[in-house]
Amino acid sequence: MAYRLVAYQRFAYRFVSGVDGRGSAAVSVVADLHRLQRLSRADPAWTLLRADSGPAVVAMLSRHFSSGSGTRRMAAPELFGLVDADLQALRDEGFDLPRSGQAYCTDWIRAGYLVRRASSAAREETVEPSEGLLAAISYVTGLESSTSTVTESRLTTLSAQLQALARDSDSRAETRLRALHAERAEIDRQIAAVESGDYPVLDGDRAAERVAEILALASEVPGDFARVRAELERLNRDLRARILEDTEDRADTLGEVFRGVDVIGRSDAGRSFSGFYDMIIDPERSARIDEWIDTILDRQFARGLSARQRSRFRRLLTEMEESGAEVHRVMTSLARSLRHFVQSRHYEEHRRMQHELRAAQRAALRAAGHVKPFHQLELELVQVGMTIDSVSALRLHNPGDDRVAGRIETHAPGTADLAALRQLVRESEIDFDELSGNVRTVLAARGRATVAEVLADRPATQGLASVVGLLVLAFDHGHPVPGEDTVTWTSSSGTRRAATVQRRVFTPDEDWT
C-alpha cells in the first residue's frame, strides 16, 4: 500500500508540474521561486534558520519555551534574567555574545521570534514564542530526533485516518454499510481471540515507539495554537480595516457586527478552533483520556521511559486544556472588542481620522511638485501636550543607598540579672502583686482601709502608676462610700502630686486580690 501511494504521488507530481510540457513547468518554477524568495524574507522561521545566530537563538529559547517544560509565556524581566545566565555560560565557553539578554530579546521581538504582550494580571509585559519560533524549534528537533519518521505507529495512524475518511465521506448507503459490517466482523474476530486467550500484546519497544509518536504529535499542538491565535489577530485587524472602508461591498461586515453576529467565531479559524476546544473541555472525553494516560503509565514498558517523557505524557491533556483556554480567551476578547468598536460608534471617529489622513496625503502629493523638502515655510507650530523627557534624565533607585556600611558589633551573652529584669518590667507595667500585698498588710493592721489610707501607709513606689493600680483594684473589688479622698504621691522627677478620687473601701471579706 505504501509503495502504491508513493507511485501515485510521483505520477501526480509529473502531471501537475508539467514535466512533459516545458513551458508550463518553467512558469511554475518561476512563480514558486518568487513566492519562496518572498517567504524567505518575511517568514520568521525561515529567517531564524538561515541566520548566523540561529543556533544560539534556538538553543536558548528552546530551553525556556520547550514543550517539555510546559512554559508558553513568562514575564519579560524573568526571560531577560534567564537569557543573561545563558549568555554568561556561553561566553565562558568562548562564544562571542557581547550584548545583554534584554538587548537580544528586543531584537528577537523585532524579528518576530518572540511576541510581547501586555498582561492584565501583572504590571510587567509578558513574552511568548511566536508561530515562527515554534516552527523552527520543531524543525530542528525533528533533525535531531533519533526516531525514524517511517514507523509502524505512524503508518497505523495514517491508515486509520484514511479508512475513517473513506467511510465518513461516502454518501452511498450500500458501500458504507459494507464497510461498517467489515469493521464489526473484525471487532468480533478480536473479541473471540481475546476470549480464547490467543491475542497479541505489544512488546516494550513497539509500545515505546507509539508513545514517542504520540508525543511527537502533541509537540505540534503549541505551534497550531500559535498559528490559530495569529490568524485570529490578523482576522481582527482585517475586519476593522474593512469596517473603516466606505464601499458598499464592505458594509455587510458592519451590519453583521451591529446585529451581534460573532464574525470572528464564524470564521474558518474560529470554527476550526471551537470544534477542537469543545472536544477538549468535554468532561466525559477528558475523563476517558486521563484514564487512558494513567493506564498506559502503569504498564510495564512505561518504566523504561525517561522522566521527561513520562512528565510530558502525564501533562498531555493539561497542556492542551491550558493552551486551548488561552486561545479561547483571546478569541472571546477579540469578538467583544470588535463588537464594542462598532456598537459604541468608535469606528466613525476612526473613519473620520482615516479620511483626514488620506486628504493630507493627497494634498502633500500635490504640493510635492511645487514645494521642495528643504523649503522653509512661514509657519509657526505651537506645541501642545506633555513634554517627553529622555530616559537618561530619570534617576534610578539604587538599593545600595539603603545598605548599612557600619560594622556590626557582636556582644557576648551574659548572665541575666533577675532584679534588673524585674525593674524593666516595673517601668513598663503596673506591679499589681506589690499593690495587692500593700492592701493585705494595711487591712491586717486597720481591718478596713480606703485608697488614701493604703497610700498613706504604703507610698506609691511607681508614682502615678501605683495610684492608678489601686484605683483599678478598688473599682473592681472595693465598696463605694459617700465622700471623696485626696491621694498623694511623688513623681519620678521628685515632685509631690495630689488628686481627688471617689472614696472606696477595701474590706477583708471581699475577694479583691
Side-chain angles (χ1 to χ4, degrees):
M1 177 178 176
Y3 175 79
R4 289 199 299 271
L5 286 175
V6 173
Y8 290 154
Q9 289 175 351
R10 291 177 177 174
F11 174 76
Y13 175 77
R14 290 174 60 89
F15 180 80
V16 174
S17 59
V19 176
D20 296 331
R22 297 185 179 181
S24 61
V27 173
S28 177
V29 168
V30 173
D32 288 345
L33 178 58
H34 286 294
R35 175 176 57 82
L36 294 177
Q37 283 182 336
R38 183 174 63 254
L39 186 64
S40 67
R41 293 189 297 268
D43 185 77
W46 200 326
T47 57
L48 173 58
L49 291 174
R50 65 187 178 89
D52 293 338
S53 60
V57 177
V58 173
M60 286 185 281
L61 295 184
S62 62
R63 296 181 66 248
H64 309 306
F65 295 110
S66 64
S67 58
S69 62
T71 303
R72 286 291 171 264
R73 177 186 296 182
M74 67 176 65
E78 180 183 356
L79 179 62
F80 298 159
L82 293 174
V83 174
D84 279 329
D86 294 338
L87 291 172
Q88 185 59 46
L90 293 174
R91 294 190 192 105
D92 294 341
E93 295 297 324
F95 292 95
D96 185 16
L97 297 168
R99 305 175 65 190
S100 65
Q102 182 174 358
Y104 281 117
C105 288
T106 302
D107 290 343
W108 298 340
I109 293 172
R110 190 179 298 113
Y113 309 152
L114 298 174
V115 179
R116 179 167 50 194
R117 303 185 190 278
S119 175
S120 59
R123 291 183 295 177
E124 300 94 350
E125 291 181 319
T126 59
V127 181
E128 60 187 66
S130 67
E131 173 189 354
L133 175 62
L134 292 175
I137 293 176
S138 177
Y139 176 76
V140 174
T141 304
L143 292 178
E144 293 182 325
S145 177
S146 59
T147 303
S148 173
T149 58
V150 184
T151 60
E152 178 187 359
S153 58
R154 179 158 297 190
L155 293 178
T156 302
T157 302
L158 177 62
S159 62
Q161 292 294 328
L162 289 174
Q163 181 183 8
L165 178 60
R167 180 196 61 207
D168 297 340
S169 62
D170 191 358
S171 60
R172 296 174 299 174
E174 60 275 8
T175 56
R176 192 159 185 168
L177 284 173
R178 190 183 307 118
L180 291 174
H181 284 306
E183 291 181 16
R184 186 170 64 180
E186 176 62 21
I187 293 176
D188 292 338
R189 186 192 64 79
Q190 294 180 11
I191 292 175
V194 173
E195 290 176 346
S196 64
D198 184 15
Y199 55 91
V201 179
L202 282 179
D203 56 24
D205 294 337
R206 296 169 65 190
E209 176 188 296
R210 293 200 180 183
V211 171
E213 180 66 19
I214 294 173
L215 294 178
L217 292 175
S219 64
E220 299 175 2
V221 174
D224 295 337
F225 280 134
R227 281 188 289 273
V228 171
R229 180 168 183 168
E231 180 62 27
L232 292 175
E233 292 174 345
R234 283 193 295 267
L235 177 62
N236 179 59
R237 292 193 296 267
D238 293 342
L239 290 174
R240 289 175 180 263
R242 290 170 58 184
I243 290 173
L244 296 180
E245 296 295 334
D246 291 330
T247 56
E248 296 181 357
D249 58 337
R250 305 290 180 104
D252 293 340
T253 302
L254 183 60
E256 289 180 348
V257 178
F258 260 122
R259 292 193 302 271
V261 178
D262 186 3
V263 183
I264 294 179
R266 292 179 55 186
S267 64
D268 294 339
R271 288 196 303 268
S272 176
F273 171 75
S274 297
F276 176 80
Y277 187 65
D278 291 341
M279 294 179 63
I280 290 179
I281 63 176
D282 180 44
E284 181 179 356
R285 188 185 300 271
S286 299
R288 196 181 310 130
I289 293 176
D290 283 333
E291 182 180 355
W292 292 340
I293 292 176
D294 292 337
T295 302
I296 292 173
L297 291 178
D298 288 339
R299 295 282 190 257
Q300 182 68 28
F301 74 88
R303 299 178 182 178
L305 300 177
S306 64
R308 185 165 179 259
Q309 285 179 318
R310 293 178 62 88
S311 176
R312 288 187 57 196
F313 204 76
R314 177 74 67 183
R315 287 183 50 84
L316 275 179
L317 185 60
T318 303
E319 290 185 3
M320 286 191 290
E321 288 177 345
E322 293 175 352
S323 302
E326 182 178 352
V327 177
H328 185 265
R329 286 194 298 267
V330 170
M331 185 172 68
T332 304
S333 176
L334 292 177
R336 291 176 179 174
S337 176
L338 182 63
R339 186 162 54 249
H340 177 73
F341 177 71
V342 172
Q343 295 178 351
S344 63
R345 300 284 182 175
H346 286 172
Y347 76 95
E348 295 179 349
E349 182 65 19
H350 286 257
R351 182 179 291 177
R352 188 187 65 80
M353 292 177 59
Q354 180 173 278
H355 291 170
E356 294 292 338
L357 289 173
R358 290 180 177 177
Q361 291 175 346
R362 288 193 295 268
L365 184 61
R366 290 193 299 268
H370 308 283
V371 181
K372 300 301 180 183
F374 50 84
H375 180 73
Q376 186 174 1
L377 301 177
E378 298 297 331
L379 180 64
E380 181 178 356
L381 297 177
V382 179
Q383 182 181 5
V384 295
M386 61 179 295
T387 302
I388 301 177
D389 296 329
S390 173
V391 178
S392 60
L394 299 177
R395 182 179 179 182
L396 302 179
H397 171 67
N398 183 12
D401 295 340
D402 301 330
R403 186 177 301 170
V404 178
R407 183 178 178 182
I408 299 177
E409 297 182 4
T410 303
H411 297 276
T415 303
D417 187 353
L418 183 59
L421 293 176
R422 188 184 298 276
Q423 183 63 30
L424 289 175
V425 173
R426 284 176 55 84
E427 291 177 359
S428 59
E429 297 182 2
I430 298 175
D431 192 350
F432 281 100
D433 292 338
E434 180 190 50
L435 297 177
S436 300
N438 293 340
V439 173
R440 284 194 296 270
T441 302
V442 173
L443 289 178
R446 294 175 177 264
R448 61 192 303 273
T450 62
V451 173
E453 291 172 343
V454 172
L455 288 175
D457 292 349
R458 298 289 180 178
T461 58
Q462 290 183 288
L464 180 60
S466 296
V467 177
V468 173
L470 282 174
L471 290 175
V472 170
L473 293 176
F475 273 86
D476 288 344
H477 307 289
H479 301 283
V481 295
E484 295 179 343
D485 285 334
T486 300
V487 295
T488 59
W489 70 93
T490 303
S491 66
S492 58
S493 61
T495 304
R496 191 69 176 173
R497 304 289 185 183
T500 301
V501 299
Q502 183 182 357
R503 181 174 297 170
R504 283 182 174 268
V505 178
F506 294 106
T507 59
D509 58 343
E510 181 70 22
D511 187 13
W512 48 265
T513 58

